[in-house]
């Protein structure tokens, strides 16, 4: 079964949001990590509300979310 573009984006956003929430719970005490997670969650919400944007625009926002979460992960790992 092929998923529509919107369904694929929604699945991707759900995965990223889950990861962000886990990182958020691990980021206690690190202002930088919390900042990046909140920024990522804000962009996830923005993309979810604008799924009719161009594919390129959505893809670049998803890349940005992934970068923010990667930064957060690195900060969390370094602080443990």
């Amino acid at each position: 079964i092929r998923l529509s573009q919107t369904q694929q984006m929604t699945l991707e956003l759900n995965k990223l949001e889950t990861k962000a929430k886990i990182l958020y719970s691990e980021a206690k005490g690190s202002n930088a990590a919390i900042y990046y997670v909140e920024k990522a969650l804000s962009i996830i919400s923005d993309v979810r509300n604008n799924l009719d944007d161009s594919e390129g625009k959505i893809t670049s926002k998803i890349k940005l979310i992934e970068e923010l979460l990667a930064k957060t992960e690195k900060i969390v790992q370094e602080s443990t």
Side-chain angles (χ1 to χ4, degrees):
I1 303 168
R2 285 209 38 158
L3 295 175
S4 73
Q5 193 69 33
T6 307
Q7 288 170 315
Q8 285 177 331
M9 292 298 173
T10 302
L11 276 174
E12 183 67 22
L13 289 170
N14 290 344
K15 279 194 284 189
L16 290 168
E17 186 176 37
T18 300
K19 184 176 182 177
K21 287 178 177 174
I22 291 167
L23 283 170
Y24 190 83
S25 70
E26 295 172 353
K28 298 284 179 264
S30 171
N31 291 340
I34 290 169
Y35 170 80
Y36 288 131
V37 172
E38 286 177 347
K39 189 125 180 78
L41 286 168
S42 157
I43 298 168
I44 289 168
S45 172
D46 176 59
V47 172
R48 200 171 261 143
N49 293 332
N50 296 292
L51 281 172
D52 51 356
D53 277 353
S54 72
E55 189 182 334
K57 198 172 186 181
I58 290 173
T59 304
S60 69
K61 284 183 179 179
I62 285 179
K63 271 202 176 89
L64 177 59
I65 294 163
E66 289 169 342
E67 288 167 15
L68 289 166
L69 294 179
K71 281 182 187 176
T72 306
E73 239 172 347
K74 196 171 179 185
I75 292 168
V76 168
Q77 285 171 354
E78 287 169 359
S79 71
T80 54

